[in-house]
Amino acid sequence: MTVPIALRRNGSYDDMIASVIEDKESTGLSSTNLNSISIFYSLESQDKESTGLPSSDLNSISIFYSLEPQVMAPCKQWMQLSLDNRVDQAYLDGVKKFLDYAFQRLGKQDEIRCPCYKCCNTTLGTRETIDTHLKVYGIIQNYTFWYHHGEHLGELVSNSEDETDDEVESYESEDEVHELLKDLYPNVDEASTRTSYEDVVAEEPNVEAKRFYNLLKDLEQPLYQNSKASKLSSLIKLLHIKSMGHWSNESFSMLLKMLKEELLPNGADLPNSYYEAKKIIRDLGLSYNKIDACTNDCMLYWKEDSLLDSCKICGASRWKMNKHTGETRDKKGKKIASKSLRYFPLKSRLQRLFMSTKTSSLMTWHKDERVNDGIMRHPADSMAWKSFDELHPSFATEPRNVRLGLASDGFQPFRNSKSSHSIWPLVLIPYNLPPWLCMKQEKFILSMLIPGPNGPGDAIDTYHQPLIEELKELWEVGIETFDASTKQNFKLHASLLWTINDFPAYGNLSGWSTKEKLACPSCNKDTSSIRLTNCKKQCVMGHRRYLPKDHRWRNDKKSFDDTIEKRLPPKTCSGIDILNQVQDLEGQPLTKDPKKKRKISHEKRKDNWNKKSIFFELPYWKSLLL
């Protein structure tokens, strides 16, 4: 599995910065010109030892973005002629403009993906080949966002078939934050925008949305009178320079002071210190909650346990202890936690998806624009999605309710492959979006970073607690959310449909050990395996069980293992069946302390369960097909 984490590194380990790709829209920024937004989450000096990372003067949070000139996509009305009128001149002109646009946006490429009905963007072709295919087979009608051909989310689209290239090039890019502000404040700074909004806000945004919009509006004010840069854009660029230059917090505060006192005009609206700058970013919802954890992964120090100094399961100290003095305080008198989970609250990020008109309108794509022709192009076409809708009609009635997938795996953050350090990010994928967007890296929502140096194993459930609590609240209660596209408030709910992982991580998340002779979670107790004589490894067998009863290979002894296969395929276990199997593991302590860890005999149980997964705390989990 490819983990959506990018490492940016300059120099030695001490200069390492973990760059976390964050959802553009969940930050509240629109996507008109945004090429990329990355939030650099690195560790403050007091957290270095608690994560097991080498000590360094790392920075806390900074943001960078890059803008590129915007090219308007040609009108797409010609695509409606694809089925029955491909000889129409409007269709032929549309094909030509599409090819001109695609080859211009993709640069010097001789071949691009062919979007005809035959190739479906899976085959590369020259301009001449694609031109012929589009005229003979027609273009895919629901391919209205030309992702494979260079179009960006939020890019302006011509409304006229006759618009010239000169007119297209005359459009200039607009500021990112300003675009989002116009969604709510149509008359803000009308002199600097060509877009006129005739719609009137039908309903006042809820308190949270109004606070966010007001904050953005305040930050969008000029840095000083007649300044071309806003307070927010200036602050973002300065924080980016701080991160890339590995500046200390104190040096950054000194720079802000010098800029205000000596270089900028009186009244320049910059924060006075790094602390104030960080607070602004936190108020925008771009921060995280740091929750201390037991060094043996037994528990989190949160809620009623937030004041404890030692683990109530294994008794290990919460704090890093000096090996020489035995003290738990550093030279400054501050205690350093042995481990700290970094959790990024989910509710505020889901609300951000609806605070831009462009993203909020796409959040109902699975209901409004998906073609239901029996071909699986999107998770909404799957049996798991349809079964969930049938079992939970009240949730399915509101298409804006968010369906999520969860992906997690460990990765090695250091260049030295001999190091065993492992950090586990947990990422959520919003499946409401179209298929060409929902699996894009910038649309992933980072939920948490589980610290190393070792992987959590089955005790990963300990770290999932804050997320499960939010998911339960989002399912049962929901959260008041403002939809910028309809200018209405609604109650947003969310559900987790499945997990995405490799086979070892599958075992950690599900609780079924993916080792030994019953390694297959799907076959469950009916797994067919043998132990190889020479290498002493388990080998899964019995694949002929899945063939039709009258298939000739079932009786072919010579080509296989010298046996005739008469068995039926293993029965698929439902969520209820699995819940019954793990019921006796309720309350099983999850810990890496060998003194407290309870040994489970798979031979006696006749299955491979190590725990009851925390996902069963979700009211709907037992009803899911996957």
Side-chain angles (χ1 to χ4, degrees), residues 41-160:
Y41 291 98
S42 50
L43 312 173
E44 299 178 4
S45 56
Q46 64 266 27
D47 300 331
K48 300 167 193 169
E49 298 185 16
S50 66
T51 61
L53 296 176
S55 61
S56 60
D57 200 3
L58 298 176
N59 306 314
S60 294
I61 295 181
S62 67
I63 303 170
F64 84 90
Y65 61 87
S66 59
L67 303 180
E68 58 183 19
Q70 184 167 348
V71 177
M72 177 177 285
C75 180
K76 302 173 182 176
Q77 296 175 4
W78 60 274
M79 298 174 65
Q80 304 303 317
L81 305 173
S82 174
L83 290 180
D84 53 8
N85 206 0
R86 292 194 291 276
V87 296
D88 192 286
Q89 189 61 41
Y91 181 81
L92 299 178
D93 291 342
V95 170
K96 181 179 182 300
K97 290 183 179 180
F98 165 76
L99 292 174
D100 291 340
Y101 171 84
F103 278 93
Q104 177 188 359
R105 293 306 299 263
L106 296 178
K108 297 180 180 180
Q109 294 188 22
D110 297 329
E111 294 184 336
I112 62 175
R113 292 177 184 265
C114 179
C116 73
Y117 268 103
K118 180 180 179 182
C119 300
C120 294
N121 282 320
T122 60
T123 307
L124 296 178
T126 63
R127 182 184 179 105
E128 292 73 21
T129 302
I130 296 176
D131 180 71
T132 302
H133 278 211
L134 293 179
K135 292 174 181 177
V136 175
Y137 303 112
I139 192 170
I140 306 171
Q141 280 193 303
N142 64 342
Y143 182 52
T144 55
F145 177 67
W146 296 339
Y147 158 69
H148 291 295
H149 299 89
E151 185 176 357
H152 297 307
L153 180 63
E155 184 175 318
L156 297 176
V157 179
S158 170
N159 292 321
S160 171

Side-chain angles (χ1 to χ4, degrees), residues 426-614:
L426 192 148
V427 177
L428 297 171
I429 300 103
Y431 286 120
N432 293 47
L433 296 170
W436 53 86
L437 289 179
C438 65
M439 293 304 293
K440 289 289 287 181
Q441 191 179 66
E442 59 265 24
K443 293 300 173 190
F444 294 167
I445 301 173
L446 181 69
S447 177
M448 64 180 70
L449 284 174
I450 301 175
N454 300 314
D458 290 333
I460 194 172
D461 285 5
T462 300
Y463 298 97
H464 286 168
Q465 293 178 72
L467 175 62
I468 295 299
E469 183 176 271
E470 271 201 289
L471 287 172
K472 288 168 64 177
E473 184 177 346
L474 284 167
W475 174 261
E476 296 169 352
V477 181
I479 184 170
E480 193 74 16
T481 303
F482 179 71
D483 186 343
S485 62
T486 62
K487 306 295 187 295
Q488 296 287 334
N489 291 300
F490 74 102
K491 186 72 77 171
L492 174 67
H493 295 265
S495 63
L496 180 65
L497 297 185
W498 48 67
T499 63
I500 306 170
N501 36 255
D502 60 12
F503 206 52
Y506 189 178
N508 294 337
L509 293 172
S510 67
W512 178 276
S513 174
T514 53
K515 302 175 183 178
E516 302 174 351
K517 61 181 181 181
L518 298 179
C520 179
S522 298
C523 295
N524 203 268
K525 297 179 181 181
D526 202 16
T527 301
S528 176
S529 63
I530 61 172
R531 186 175 178 85
L532 300 180
T533 305
N534 294 328
C535 66
K536 307 299 182 183
K537 291 185 178 181
Q538 294 288 343
C539 181
V540 179
M541 303 293 289
H543 302 90
R544 288 183 292 165
R545 290 186 293 172
Y546 296 91
L547 296 173
K549 292 182 179 180
D550 57 349
H551 199 284
R552 60 186 180 88
W553 284 359
R554 281 182 170 267
N555 297 317
D556 189 350
K557 300 168 59 176
K558 183 177 181 181
S559 300
F560 294 95
D561 55 357
D562 202 32
T563 62
I564 296 176
E565 184 61 79
K566 296 183 178 180
R567 295 175 297 174
L568 296 175
K571 179 184 176 183
T572 302
C573 292
S574 66
I576 301 294
D577 295 333
I578 293 174
L579 187 59
N580 291 333
Q581 290 180 13
V582 299
Q583 204 64 51
D584 62 316
L585 296 176
E586 182 84 43
Q588 168 81 7
L590 301 176
T591 176
K592 287 186 175 179
D593 185 353
K595 297 179 180 179
K596 298 294 182 180
K597 189 173 183 179
R598 176 185 162 193
K599 294 183 179 180
I600 297 176
S601 174
H602 294 159
E603 290 292 336
K604 291 182 179 180
R605 290 183 54 84
K606 300 188 183 303
D607 62 29
N608 261 28
W609 290 113
N610 286 331
K611 66 176 182 179
K612 178 183 177 182
S613 174
I614 194 173

